[in-house]
Amino acid sequence: MLTARDVWLGIVLPAVLAAVTVLAAHRATKRRVGRRVSRTWSAPVAVALGVFTGTVALFGWPGVPPLDATEWPVLLILPLAAIAVVDALSDLVPPARYAIALAVAAASVWLIARPLVEGDALGERPLEKLALVTVLITAAMASLEAISFRCTAGTFTAILLAAIGPAALTLAMSGSQRLGQMAAALAAALGGTLAAGLVLGRGLAPRGLALVVGLTYLELLVCGYLYAELTAGNFVLLAIAPQAAWLAHPWARRGAWVAQAWQVACVALVAGLAAYRAWATFAADTSGY
Amino acid sequence: MQNRFAISMLCVSLFYASSLARPACADPVAIDAVHSSMLFRIKHMNTSYIWGRFNDFSGALNLDGPSPSVNVQIKTDSIDTGNGKREQHLKSPDFFNARQFSTITFKSTSVKPAGDGKYKVDGKLTLHGVEKPITLELVRTGTNKGPQGTPIVGYETTFKIKRSDFGMTFSLEGASDEVLLLANLECGAK
């Protein structure tokens, strides 16, 4: 059940805060460090602030460390944004960036799954399983970043939105409304940066978004799979959905909006399939809850 | 010889009589989950009460021994409200997060007789990973002999908690903060 409070705090607040943050960062820094730099780091910071503030307003302060392992994505998004800023300002070489991505993915997966490892709930060879998930997440983030370099900022944001929107619905229909609302806050904040980019006249450079948004998105999926009822099939569909942008890449060219729309559509199709599968299961239950 | 026999019989009789009068012996007696129940009641949207139960629990009571204790463990995954989808939601991270917090426990720290078959039990309730001190009034509801001839005894306690005290803050407008818990425990060897 979604209340008006859920919409205001969980969707409107993250979107508005993210948009305002981008606009304020642009205004505050354009004279000192130039437009390019402010556009580079402001989007991931804006998304992180929007998601964190919206989620805390909705569900309260999670505590450090959080009581519930599914609250880690909300806490981790702030240090991720800090790493994205450092990355943007220092212009790290790719091996260093991949090493950072691997380290933060490993830390995230371990923090989220640790209660299950300690409770022997992951079956045999839990550490090997977590290591595999970490490597796959790192590869997914590297791939996302490669996509971001090959399309416009607006298109990349739209690609992420096309995956996160259906993911929010899928998570909400997979046993946990709270995880769905966290994903919705992520989508809303990302939408806010997109709107701010339109106001500024040009898209925001997407660097850092792959780390902050991509990893938070995958963390939420891991939470849904480990702690709620997100099925393995829907987990895989949603995890690979942003990668579907590669399917349209040969036809995607900067400025060719039809090709870019096709790229977004491929992502939405894969993520939408997961949402449809979750809805079909959800609707089949006629118990009235 | 006759005197010794009479004294022996007297001792046996006294021992037997004392065992009947005090069915809960000095050693902890296991909870018979088949004849016990763990119920809870919560208010839906400040309107009507919904009852639920936990089907898998265990524990042991020792109320009359030199070091009395009450220990209960409840499997959160065994929640039963008569609606599968609601149970799935209750087990999710929105409420119990049953995969992370698989057990609710109560461990007494002090048990004192309060007269008339009642006991004041202070202890620590751990729910959703949060430990809080609570005080219960445990009331003896009856004693008898079980089918095997061994003594059995029943107890009941009713108490209220606020779920937000245990970090369960999701949808407080949909399901009340205050939750009533009712435990009926039958103890004794089967």
Side-chain angles (χ1 to χ4, degrees):
Chain A
M1 186 185 65
L2 210 60
T3 63
R5 178 179 176 274
D6 293 331
V7 174
W8 279 107
L9 297 182
I11 295 174
V12 177
L13 177 62
V16 171
L17 188 60
V20 169
T21 302
V22 167
L23 295 172
H26 172 72
R27 187 180 177 84
T29 59
K30 67 179 179 182
R31 290 199 186 105
R32 284 189 288 127
V33 292
R35 280 185 162 198
R36 190 187 65 80
V37 175
S38 76
R39 284 180 175 176
T40 300
W41 63 258
S42 64
V45 170
V47 169
L49 281 178
V51 171
F52 184 80
T53 308
T55 310
V56 168
L58 262 184
F59 305 121
W61 176 253
V64 183
L67 178 67
D68 200 308
T70 59
E71 290 172 320
W72 273 115
V74 176
L75 276 184
L76 289 172
I77 200 166
L78 295 177
L80 285 180
I83 292 169
V85 171
V86 171
D87 175 25
L89 295 179
S90 58
D91 212 13
L92 295 170
V93 294
R97 306 179 77 196
Y98 295 141
I100 290 171
L102 182 66
V104 293
S108 305
V109 169
W110 170 249
L111 289 170
I112 289 169
R114 188 176 62 173
L116 300 183
V117 176
E118 291 170 350
D120 289 332
L122 287 181
E124 292 180 4
R125 304 168 86 177
L127 296 180
E128 286 88 337
K129 288 176 184 170
L130 295 185
L132 178 64
V133 171
T134 299
V135 170
L136 291 174
I137 285 177
T138 307
M141 282 161 49
S143 172
L144 267 182
E145 193 167 77
I147 292 170
S148 76
F149 290 154
R150 288 167 172 79
C151 60
T152 64
T155 304
F156 183 63
T157 306
I159 285 170
L160 293 173
L161 279 172
I164 300 169
L169 293 172
T170 308
L171 285 167
M173 288 185 288
S174 301
S176 178
Q177 185 181 323
R178 195 160 61 94
L179 287 175
Q181 286 179 270
M182 288 180 190
L186 182 63
L190 197 57
T193 65
L194 185 63
L198 293 173
V199 170
L200 291 174
R202 283 192 295 169
L204 299 157
R207 188 158 179 169
L209 278 183
L211 178 70
V212 174
V213 179
L215 184 56
T216 304
Y217 170 66
L218 292 166
E219 286 169 358
L220 290 171
L221 297 183
V222 170
C223 288
Y225 178 68
L226 291 180
Y227 294 101
E229 303 295 330
L230 183 66
T231 63
N234 285 345
F235 173 77
V236 170
L237 279 172
L238 292 171
I240 65 168
Q243 313 301 333
W246 285 110
L247 296 175
H249 177 67
W251 298 280
R253 291 288 181 271
R254 209 172 265 269
W257 71 268
V258 174
Q260 295 188 19
W262 180 248
Q263 210 170 12
V264 174
C266 286
V267 175
L269 192 68
V270 178
L273 180 60
Y276 172 76
R277 280 161 47 94
W279 176 81
T281 306
F282 190 80
D285 188 311
T286 54
S287 66
Y289 179 68
Chain B
M1 187 69 183
Q2 277 184 337
N3 282 347
R4 287 178 68 183
F5 179 75
I7 290 168
S8 301
M9 288 304 293
L10 184 63
C11 287
V12 169
S13 303
L14 284 172
F15 176 77
Y16 183 70
S18 67
S19 71
L20 269 183
R22 298 171 64 195
C25 58
D27 294 326
V29 183
I31 294 169
D32 175 6
V34 176
H35 299 105
S36 302
S37 48
M38 290 283 178
L39 308 173
F40 64 88
R41 189 192 75 178
I42 193 165
K43 206 169 196 179
H44 175 239
M45 298 189 75
N46 203 26
T47 305
S48 62
Y49 289 111
I50 296 170
W51 285 88
R53 55 182 290 157
F54 293 96
N55 293 326
D56 188 353
F57 54 90
S58 59
L61 276 70
N62 171 14
L63 296 176
D64 296 318
S67 51
S69 63
V70 177
N71 291 308
V72 180
Q73 299 88 38
I74 304 169
K75 296 283 183 192
T76 45
D77 197 38
S78 70
I79 195 167
D80 179 355
T81 65
N83 183 299
K85 197 183 275 185
R86 179 165 57 203
E87 286 150 20
Q88 184 192 60
H89 194 198
L90 288 170
K91 291 176 197 175
S92 82
D94 292 3
F95 293 97
F96 284 96
N97 196 354
R99 291 186 186 161
Q100 182 175 353
F101 307 111
S102 58
T103 313
I104 301 166
T105 61
F106 176 80
K107 283 187 180 177
S108 63
T109 51
S110 134
V111 180
K112 291 176 185 164
D116 201 21
K118 295 177 182 174
Y119 298 84
K120 183 184 172 220
V121 182
D122 295 319
K124 291 176 178 173
L125 178 68
T126 305
L127 164 63
H128 195 244
V130 177
E131 185 183 272
K132 291 273 176 190
I134 62 167
T135 299
L136 315 172
E137 186 185 65
L138 202 60
V139 180
R140 188 159 59 204
T141 53
T143 59
N144 209 331
K145 278 199 212 172
Q148 308 299 323
T150 52
I152 54 173
V153 57
Y155 297 98
E156 183 179 81
T157 182
T158 305
F159 60 101
K160 290 177 180 174
I161 60 166
K162 285 192 172 181
R163 65 185 176 100
S164 60
D165 289 344
F166 295 87
M168 296 172 69
T169 54
F170 182 79
S171 190
L172 288 169
E173 66 282 0
S176 61
D177 193 9
E178 188 177 87
V179 184
L180 177 83
L181 293 108
L182 197 157
N184 283 292
L185 306 173
E186 185 174 302
C187 305
K190 292 181 190 173

